[in-house]
Amino acid sequence: MNKRIYYPSIFVAVNFIFLLLTSMVRALSADWQNAMDHVIQIYELLIHWVLIFYCYKIYSKATQDKGIFRWLLLTNIFFLAHDSAFYFGIFRFAATGWLARTYYPVERILVNNCCFSVWLVCFSIFICSILYKYILDRQKFLQLSVGLFVFSMIIIGYYWLPTRLNTEVMGRVHSLYIISTLILEFMIFGLCLICLIYTNSRQLLLFLSGVIIMIAGDFITTYGRMVQLEEAFKYGDSIWCFGILTILWSYVTIVKSNSYQLKELISTPKNIKSQVIACVLLICVSTFIISFILAIELGVINSKYTVVFPLFIMLYSIVLAILSIKLGYAFERPFLQTKDNILALLNKDNSTVNDRFYSDEFQSLHKFIEQAFVIKDKQDLLYKTFGNTAASAVHDMVSPINALKIIIKKLNPNNHGHNDLQLFDKAIEQIQTITNNILTQYHEIDVKEFTSAIYGDITRPSYFVINTLIRQLIYNKKLEYENTNVVLSYHDGIIPIWIRASHLMMMRILSNLINNAYESNANNIQINVQMLENESNTIIEIIDNGEGIPSELIEQVKSGKSLKHKGLGLGLSSAIQYVNSLDGVVIIKSDVAVGTTVTIKLPTVILPLP
């Protein structure tokens, strides 16, 4: 499938090619130099209008950071005003197109300098707002500002060394103004470099790189004007324009990706990637600066070459920042991979676990995490198994306890000690309270999947007559329901029917199903238990006249949902689970307001030999 063509990106690419060609013509051809100077200046003004268009689009789409983007919009407006004042007020009236040899009226210089100063201040506020809101706290921000100011003064001092404060060209006041703006520009470079450390997107990387390239071009242009070096002005102007195009490229990518939230473009200060980038940049840039200064002071480098000092620092920092970001991603990748693996293990999705690490330490960590999850799964299984077994046992105790209560009431106090009967009765009530509490806590457990209980030897199947088991169960239930409105009946054939199953589990399942029928909330409950046999199956039916189960809830009930209380039900889901393990089947038929029939079909077995 072909990707959709994004024409603004093609427009930016064409502009880069156009600027490269015009800059080459201006540098190589003396005849075309003056014409190309004017072409590039007009071209810059046109690009500024496109910048304002895209910047306003970003500003209008931004929601959380509209106040910060407002300063960026003002920056672009005064950026256009500055280049317009420069071209129409100064450049067009320069003698033979060469700026350094011409004096200009004060009002033209004032308009140009005012626009230049305003856009620098607006951009400083924009970049400081980003740092203060998303990256640095107040104390670190103040410390950074003071440090950058001192650092910028030192660098600009070495940069200005070859000019010897050439006031004959531009005047003392104008020269001091240029020094102050260069200090501010270098501080902006430092702020952009800090933002580069914490960038999390290509869009912000392009934008900050464009600003740094543009400032580097202005340093070269200013130097050319101060020392009357025409080549420096030409190259600096081209670099300035390349920086503007890079900023435009960043705007286009922001609009294309709809990335209008600054928070999405910046990583957190404590991110491992950001810390690696910060350490690498700090070590490499500080080493470069110290080495360069020592080389100048020791005479290894001629002082006239210090003009390239800021340019080298800026371009070197951009390249180093990009390489450091790549290194930061390499450090961050195994952490993110480990995080994804943990999420996959939590979701039981072992197919998406990636165990390919390029570090022995992370390989060992991955194995440790996998072993930890295996142990955790075993502990969870043990916990659920114990909980299910305990809850089932308590559930089974309800019927015999109720039967004991009825028997106690029938006993004649004259034949037994009254105090003994009271003590016996209170003990049973205490047991009832304990079992009810355990069941209530179990029913409140919210799990997505019911784990089968591991019952051990007591569930080992054996041959027994199911008729006898059901008769004994019905007798106990009749005692339990004697003083209630329940009518319990049982019908089977004369012939004994043998099955192969766990005597305890079948007693538990049938007791729970009868209890479910008893709790079906009918006024006059009728429960009928039937058993019959055909050639292939032994069939047990439990029929009640209760409220019934809505058809849309039957599957949920079969999977463990209880309609009597919150959480899991034990009777029906346990019955289905165990009967399926015997190659049998449980069928539920229910009509609302009519009743429910639960049918258990078990494979018929041949009478075992003695």
Side-chain angles (χ1 to χ4, degrees):
M1 184 176 179
N2 296 327
K3 292 184 177 180
R4 179 174 170 267
I5 298 174
Y6 192 67
Y7 292 102
S9 299
I10 297 176
F11 170 76
V12 174
V14 170
N15 276 273
F16 269 111
I17 296 172
F18 172 78
L19 179 60
L20 181 62
L21 293 176
T22 53
S23 299
M24 290 175 62
V25 171
R26 181 167 67 167
L28 299 176
S29 175
D31 298 333
W32 287 87
Q33 178 180 328
N34 190 49
M36 289 298 103
D37 286 344
H38 284 274
V39 168
I40 289 180
Q41 292 299 321
I42 296 172
Y43 172 73
E44 285 183 19
L45 298 179
L46 295 176
I47 294 299
H48 276 304
W49 284 106
V50 182
L51 278 175
I52 292 175
F53 168 77
Y54 275 99
C55 187
Y56 180 77
K57 196 170 185 179
I58 294 170
Y59 167 75
S60 61
K61 294 289 184 66
T63 54
Q64 296 180 355
D65 304 301
K66 190 175 284 290
I68 297 178
F69 280 117
R70 185 181 295 115
W71 289 106
L72 182 61
L73 181 60
L74 290 173
T75 299
N76 283 275
I77 293 173
F78 283 100
F79 201 2
L80 170 63
H82 162 251
D83 275 0
S84 300
F86 176 77
Y87 177 70
F88 292 106
I90 298 176
F91 190 87
R92 288 181 61 191
F93 299 97
T96 65
W98 177 228
L99 302 175
R101 299 182 183 276
T102 307
Y103 286 96
Y104 308 97
V106 176
E107 61 272 12
R108 294 182 184 178
I109 296 294
L110 188 61
V111 171
N112 177 75
N113 290 351
C114 285
C115 293
F116 186 73
S117 301
V118 172
W119 86 256
L120 282 180
V121 171
C122 289
F123 185 80
S124 300
I125 296 174
F126 167 73
I127 201 74
C128 287
S129 299
I130 296 176
L131 286 169
Y132 186 70
K133 183 175 182 180
Y134 292 109
I135 299 175
L136 303 175
D137 56 31
R138 179 180 299 178
Q139 183 178 0
K140 290 183 179 179
F141 179 76
L142 292 175
Q143 292 173 352
L144 175 67
S145 301
V146 174
L148 279 177
F149 179 74
V150 175
F151 177 66
S152 300
M153 289 188 66
I154 295 172
I155 299 300
I156 298 305
Y158 278 98
Y159 165 80
W160 208 258
L161 225 74
T163 67
R164 302 296 179 185
L165 199 61
N166 194 347
T167 56
E168 295 179 0
V169 176
M170 311 194 76
R172 182 177 297 274
V173 176
H174 195 191
S175 297
L176 291 175
Y177 166 78
I178 290 177
I179 292 175
S180 62
T181 54
L182 289 175
I183 292 174
L184 181 57
E185 282 186 285
F186 205 82
M187 289 184 66
I188 290 175
F189 153 73
L191 295 172
C192 290
L193 193 62
I194 299 297
C195 283
L196 267 178
I197 293 173
Y198 299 103
T199 184
N200 199 31
S201 64
R202 188 184 67 172
Q203 297 92 323
L204 192 57
L205 176 64
L206 284 173
F207 174 76
L208 297 171
S209 300
V211 173
I212 294 175
I213 292 171
M214 190 177 65
I215 292 175
D218 187 58
F219 268 74
I220 298 175
T221 302
T222 303
Y223 178 78
R225 295 177 63 190
M226 290 301 298
V227 300
Q228 303 179 22
L229 184 62
E230 187 174 357
E231 286 75 13
F233 175 80
K234 289 189 298 185
Y235 292 130
D237 191 46
S238 295
I239 293 173
W240 169 275
C241 201
F242 270 109
I244 295 174
L245 274 181
T246 306
I247 294 174
L248 176 61
W249 187 8
S250 71
Y251 287 175
V252 170
T253 54
I254 288 174
V255 172
K256 181 181 178 181
S257 61
N258 293 321
S259 303
Y260 302 113
Q261 307 300 329
L262 287 171
K263 192 175 182 179
E264 299 175 358
L265 307 178
I266 299 172
S267 59
T268 59
K270 295 183 179 180
N271 185 285
I272 182 67
K273 174 176 67 70
S274 302
Q275 295 183 27
V276 169
I277 297 170
C279 290
V280 172
L281 274 178
L282 180 63
I283 293 171
C284 294
V285 173
S286 59
T287 303
F288 173 78
I289 293 173
I290 293 172
S291 301
F292 200 94
I293 292 175
L294 288 175
I296 294 171
E297 296 297 332
L298 296 174
V300 178
I301 298 177
N302 194 311
S303 61
K304 69 179 182 179
Y305 295 119
T306 57
V307 65
V308 298
F309 192 21
L311 176 65
F312 279 168
I313 292 176
M314 293 178 192
L315 298 182
Y316 173 71
S317 299
I318 292 176
V319 175
L320 191 62
I322 294 173
L323 295 177
S324 300
I325 289 172
K326 295 290 185 183
L327 180 64
Y329 278 121
F331 270 85
E332 185 184 44
R333 192 175 299 114
F335 289 97
L336 296 177
Q337 183 178 333
T338 301
K339 175 185 174 183
D340 293 338
N341 287 347
I342 292 174
L343 290 175
L345 290 170
L346 285 173
N347 294 325
K348 310 295 184 184
D349 186 11
N350 294 333
S351 61
T352 60
V353 174
N354 183 5
D355 58 355
R356 304 178 99 185
F357 289 92
Y358 297 99
S359 167
D360 292 339
E361 290 79 7
F362 278 98
Q363 192 71 43
S364 301
L365 177 62
H366 175 73
K367 290 180 180 179
F368 173 79
I369 292 173
E370 280 192 323
Q371 291 173 357
F373 269 92
V374 170
I375 294 172
K376 179 181 178 298
D377 289 341
K378 290 181 179 179
Q379 290 176 339
D380 290 344
L381 178 62
L382 181 62
Y383 168 75
K384 291 176 182 178
T385 299
F386 178 78
N388 294 336
T389 305
S392 298
V394 172
H395 201 273
D396 294 340
M397 291 170 61
V398 172
S399 295
I401 289 174
N402 289 336
L404 287 173
K405 288 279 291 183
I406 295 170
I407 293 173
I408 290 173
K409 291 178 180 179
K410 288 185 174 182
L411 290 175
N412 188 351
N414 297 326
N415 300 331
H416 301 276
H418 184 66
N419 292 334
D420 292 341
L421 288 178
Q422 282 188 332
L423 183 63
F424 193 26
D425 187 44
K426 288 181 179 179
I428 293 177
E429 286 182 357
Q430 186 176 6
I431 295 173
Q432 275 186 315
T433 302
I434 294 172
T435 56
N436 289 336
N437 287 337
I438 294 175
L439 281 175
T440 300
Q441 292 177 9
Y442 178 79
H443 291 144
E444 290 178 352
I445 296 176
D446 185 14
V447 293
K448 293 183 179 179
E449 181 179 353
F450 185 83
T451 306
S452 300
I454 302 173
Y455 297 103
D457 292 339
I458 62 173
T459 62
R460 183 173 298 171
S462 60
Y463 292 98
F464 63 92
V465 177
I466 188 64
N467 314 56
T468 306
L469 182 147
I470 295 178
R471 290 192 189 102
Q472 180 63 44
L473 177 63
I474 296 298
Y475 176 77
N476 293 339
K477 290 296 180 182
K478 285 183 177 180
L479 287 176
E480 181 179 349
Y481 301 147
E482 185 175 23
N483 295 325
T484 66
N485 58 347
V486 176
V487 177
L488 181 61
S489 59
Y490 170 63
H491 305 281
D492 69 349
I494 299 175
I495 301 174
I497 300 176
W498 290 80
I499 65 169
R500 188 174 186 275
S502 165
H503 189 280
L504 173 64
M505 287 300 298
M506 290 305 300
M507 175 71 77
R508 173 181 295 172
I509 288 170
L510 294 174
S511 175
N512 289 338
L513 292 177
I514 293 173
N515 287 341
N516 288 345
Y518 166 70
E519 296 169 351
S520 59
N521 298 326
N523 293 325
N524 295 304
I525 304 173
Q526 295 182 4
I527 303 173
N528 182 25
V529 180
Q530 297 182 143
M531 189 175 69
L532 53 94
E533 183 183 29
N534 56 29
E535 294 181 356
S536 57
N537 295 109
T538 297
I539 302 171
I540 304 169
E541 290 184 340
I542 300 173
I543 307 167
D544 67 65
N545 65 337
E547 292 185 352
I549 304 172
S551 57
E552 65 271 12
L553 296 179
I554 288 180
E555 290 301 320
Q556 296 183 37
V557 171
K558 290 172 68 175
S559 63
K561 178 179 175 61
S562 174
L563 300 181
K564 300 176 290 183
H565 42 64
K566 177 184 176 183
L568 294 175
L570 293 171
L572 192 54
S573 59
S574 295
I576 293 173
Q577 192 175 24
Y578 184 71
V579 170
N580 288 343
S581 70
L582 300 176
D583 296 328
V585 64
V586 176
I587 301 172
I588 302 173
K589 293 182 179 179
S590 185
D591 294 318
V592 177
V594 176
T596 302
T597 300
V598 179
T599 303
I600 299 176
K601 290 185 178 181
L602 296 171
T604 299
V605 297
I606 301 174
L607 180 66
L609 296 175

